[in-house]
Amino acid sequence: MAKQASFEVSEIPTDYAENPSGGFWSNLHQRVVLDHHDKDRQSNKDLDPVPAEGRTWSGLDYVTYWISDNFSPSGWRKASSLMAIGMSWRTALVNVAISEVIIGVVVTINGYVGAKYRIPFSIQARASFGYYFAYLMILMRCIVGIFWYGISTYTGAECVRSMIYAIWPSFHNVKNQLPESANIDTQFMISYFIYYITVLPLHLVPISKIRWLFTIKAVTTPIIGFGMMGWTIKNAGVGNNSLWTQGNTVHGSALSWAFMQGLYSNIGGWATLAINSPDFTRYSKKVSNTYWMAIALPFTATLICFFGVVGAGGSKVLYGEILWDPLLFVDRWTSKGGRAAAFFCALGFYLAQAAANVSANSISAANDLNCMFPRYINIRRGQILVSLLGGWALTPWNIMTSAASFLSFMSGYTIWLAPICGILISDFYFVHKRRYDVWELYNPHGIYRYNKYGTNWRSFVAFFIGWVPLLPGFLPKVNAKISMIQPMINFYYCGYFYGLLAPMLSYYLLCLVVPAKETMIEHAVYCDDLLIARDVEEIASEGVDSDSYGDQEKKTL
């Protein structure tokens, strides 16, 4: 069974601190290891179930969390991609609303596991995939998080650049000192470095306390959004812009498949959070607090998308071109008062992007690294590592300017993420009937090992059923030279629905026909069960009435 204990980097044995021995690498190893007391322990404080004192998130915190994720420049731009493939602004808003309702339900359903058992996705995955096969799923999710961290850092740098433009207009004239092959100029590199350095301290804030950041953003960004929309309507109106009168430019079956493509794209944008929502729901004060996500996610996403539509329509009247990027919009405010407004708007988007990047990418990927290297990486170390890999090693400025095929590949990564989510949901709700033994999930030789390879073959088969049929439609999106019949491409646009539901059903049927009986427990075992039993045992050994203590402890949990 896993041990519930706290280990810090500073806990280096006294004999080592006083009498260091060995070479440089040996000494370095001693200093970076998290747990010197149990070399066989494959967990740490951040990976263990969240104890009672760490459960600090209320229902309001989950509402502000989704405001934090949605009120960002990328959320503002969402309608533009839909209108680019033939939808009117009204159809685009309906598409966003439907897709966000669907993913909001999925996020909430899977997040229930974290709220109930106080475990992250990386531990939850072991029940479905097996102790070792789960690591492949964790690695796949980690790669996505690191990638999007870099892309979001690029967007955050755009916010900083707009802030600098507003304060010092002469920044426009800064001479570029970098070669053209760098795919980034001096202006943007300065902005990028400032963003990275100023956001880095947020990675050091414990997850149980970072909810204050979402609260600040939940207050500031809606004010900015409504303010920009009100200013645009006052100065430009909505009646003279062709954007508002333009209908769908595609019709019939073409419109239907364009609509499906939009659903796939919008749902896919949240595919990673649908998997790792337990990383945050595990900190809830009570399970019901997480239900607010099903409402907050679609409402805020649709609202910020509407702001983008109004801004784009107004920019056509005011500036003669449609500006889907809110940062390009505020960069046009060049008067003294306009620059002040532009600065505060850019500052709000800066906070929005920083909060979204920390919550959606760095913490999630850090949890994955924490699980893969529990003796050396906790969530704090993991976030720093993610920031270095995603922010610098990945060189996101190269990807954004010259790697369209790689962007398409990462956007299509949903074909692998959807099956993971479907199997997780099927395993918890239908196969194991919401009954897990949380401590067996931490045992490499426990019931969730499944076989000597640590692989649940049922999930292995279901996973391939989920993504292989979608591959033909995915390939032309990555390489334009590959041609594919239209029905396969259309099937790819249904990818999230197929990728989620087909593995969900196939995994359930496989477990029904050939069940893993050793994992079918009669009663769920929660983390508090063992904590109470262990505390009672310790008190009893000291001569205190264990029954009375247990009754008191149960009331507090």
Side-chain angles (χ1 to χ4, degrees):
M1 293 184 179
K3 300 177 182 178
Q4 185 73 15
S6 298
F7 300 105
E8 301 295 340
V9 179
S10 60
E11 291 186 10
I12 300 175
T14 305
D15 57 347
Y16 167 77
E18 296 177 353
N19 300 298
S21 61
F24 171 80
W25 294 112
S26 177
N27 292 342
L28 179 63
H29 177 268
Q30 289 290 331
R31 291 188 177 278
V32 299
V33 72
L34 292 169
D35 181 8
H36 291 272
H37 304 279
D38 188 350
K39 295 182 179 180
D40 296 326
R41 175 175 159 83
Q42 298 188 29
S43 185
N44 58 45
K45 181 181 178 181
D46 288 344
L47 196 59
D48 287 344
V50 177
E53 62 270 17
R55 304 166 195 171
T56 58
W57 287 44
S58 65
L60 179 61
D61 291 323
Y62 287 102
V63 172
T64 58
Y65 172 87
W66 283 107
I67 294 176
S68 172
D69 266 14
N70 281 311
F71 276 75
S72 61
S74 56
W76 185 285
R77 302 164 184 157
K78 190 169 288 187
S80 63
S81 60
L82 300 178
M83 297 182 69
I85 59 176
M87 299 184 202
S88 68
W89 68 270
R90 295 180 181 84
T91 307
L93 283 180
V94 171
N95 188 282
V96 170
I98 293 175
S99 61
E100 302 297 336
V101 167
I102 293 171
I103 199 62
V105 171
V106 175
V107 166
T108 304
I109 288 175
N110 195 42
Y112 178 88
V113 182
K116 195 70 174 175
Y117 288 91
R118 308 297 176 180
I119 56 175
F121 149 72
S122 53
I123 300 300
Q124 172 201 8
R126 294 171 178 173
S128 308
F129 296 94
Y131 194 92
Y132 291 114
F133 185 40
Y135 282 104
L136 177 59
M137 309 298 123
I138 296 167
L139 177 62
M140 293 174 67
R141 209 236 72 87
C142 183
I143 291 173
V144 177
I146 292 173
F147 169 82
W148 287 117
Y149 181 91
I151 300 303
S152 295
T153 301
Y154 186 95
T155 303
E158 292 178 313
C159 299
V160 172
R161 184 175 60 182
S162 292
M163 292 165 61
I164 299 176
Y165 283 159
I167 301 174
W168 298 291
S170 59
F171 191 67
H172 283 278
N173 303 321
V174 171
K175 185 178 180 180
N176 180 35
Q177 302 294 330
L178 298 175
E180 184 177 351
S181 60
N183 291 319
I184 186 172
D185 57 29
T186 300
Q187 282 184 27
F188 200 82
M189 179 57 79
I190 293 172
S191 303
Y192 192 93
F193 184 77
I194 292 174
Y195 174 84
Y196 180 85
I197 293 298
T198 54
V199 170
L200 198 59
L202 297 178
H203 297 26
L204 307 179
V205 181
I207 301 179
S208 59
K209 298 180 180 179
I210 202 171
R211 64 190 191 282
W212 62 264
L213 176 62
F214 306 139
T215 302
I216 293 174
K217 183 191 166 183
V219 174
T220 57
T221 49
I223 292 175
I224 291 171
F226 280 109
M228 290 181 65
M229 183 177 68
W231 181 89
T232 302
I233 292 175
K234 178 182 177 180
N235 289 275
V238 295
N240 300 322
N241 188 353
S242 60
L243 176 69
W244 297 96
T245 58
Q246 175 183 315
N248 299 316
T249 57
V250 294
H251 304 279
S253 61
L255 176 61
S256 299
W257 287 114
F259 196 87
M260 288 301 302
Q261 181 181 353
L263 288 179
Y264 175 78
S265 176
N266 287 324
I267 292 175
W270 297 117
T272 52
L273 276 170
I275 291 175
N276 65 267
S277 57
D279 291 352
F280 296 93
T281 57
R282 63 192 295 227
Y283 297 96
S284 64
K285 293 180 180 178
K286 54 184 179 179
V287 176
S288 58
N289 288 338
T290 64
Y291 300 161
W292 286 99
M293 297 192 299
I295 300 174
L297 195 164
F299 177 77
T300 56
T302 305
L303 181 61
I304 188 64
C305 183
F306 180 68
F307 289 166
V309 170
V310 173
S315 66
K316 177 67 174 178
V317 175
L318 295 170
Y319 308 118
E321 60 179 314
I322 295 177
L323 300 175
W324 285 105
D325 191 327
L327 299 172
L328 294 178
F329 193 92
V330 301
D331 285 346
R332 300 296 183 98
W333 300 348
T334 55
S335 66
K336 187 175 181 180
R339 288 193 291 113
F343 172 81
F344 286 107
C345 287
L347 176 61
F349 283 118
Y350 161 86
L351 292 174
Q353 197 63 31
N357 207 11
V358 170
S359 62
N361 299 315
S362 74
I363 290 178
S364 301
N367 267 301
D368 299 333
L369 291 172
N370 181 27
C371 180
M372 290 187 284
F373 309 101
R375 290 202 67 201
Y376 306 99
I377 298 179
N378 54 21
I379 292 179
R380 177 178 293 183
R381 292 182 181 183
Q383 288 198 76
I384 299 301
L385 185 57
V386 168
S387 73
L388 292 172
L389 293 174
W392 296 102
L394 197 65
T395 61
W397 50 87
N398 284 320
I399 295 174
M400 295 295 288
T401 57
S402 61
S405 61
F406 188 62
L407 276 171
S408 298
F409 173 80
M410 294 307 298
S411 297
Y413 214 79
T414 304
I415 69 172
W416 290 282
L417 298 180
I420 296 174
C421 189
I423 292 170
L424 291 174
I425 293 174
S426 181
D427 183 81
F428 180 70
Y429 287 96
F430 306 121
V431 176
H432 286 106
K433 312 295 184 183
R434 298 189 298 176
R435 295 193 294 266
Y436 285 160
D437 185 332
V438 69
W439 299 105
E440 283 292 294
L441 290 170
Y442 289 84
N443 185 357
H445 305 286
I447 60 177
Y448 300 110
R449 184 183 177 96
Y450 287 95
N451 55 35
K452 66 179 182 178
Y453 303 109
T455 300
N456 182 2
W457 65 267
R458 303 160 192 81
S459 60
F460 181 88
V461 173
F463 179 65
F464 274 81
I465 290 175
W467 69 266
V468 170
L470 297 171
L471 194 59
F474 168 68
L475 293 177
K477 299 297 179 181
V478 178
N479 188 345
K481 296 180 179 179
I482 298 177
S483 60
M484 190 61 58
I485 58 174
Q486 192 61 38
M488 295 304 300
I489 296 177
N490 291 340
F491 181 58
Y492 169 72
Y493 293 149
C494 301
Y496 192 83
F497 301 100
Y498 172 83
L500 182 78
L501 298 176
M504 185 185 297
L505 177 61
S506 58
Y507 179 76
Y508 172 73
L509 293 176
L510 287 170
C511 291
L512 187 66
V513 176
V514 190
K517 296 181 180 180
E518 70 278 9
T519 68
M520 305 300 176
I521 58 178
E522 189 172 344
H523 301 287
V525 178
Y526 303 100
C527 64
D528 292 339
D529 297 335
L530 184 60
L531 294 179
I532 293 173
R534 189 184 63 188
D535 290 342
V536 169
E537 182 180 351
E538 291 177 354
I539 294 297
S541 66
E542 298 175 3
V544 179
D545 184 355
S546 61
D547 291 334
S548 62
Y549 175 83
D551 292 338
Q552 294 174 2
E553 186 70 9
K554 288 177 182 178
K555 293 178 181 178
T556 64
L557 293 172

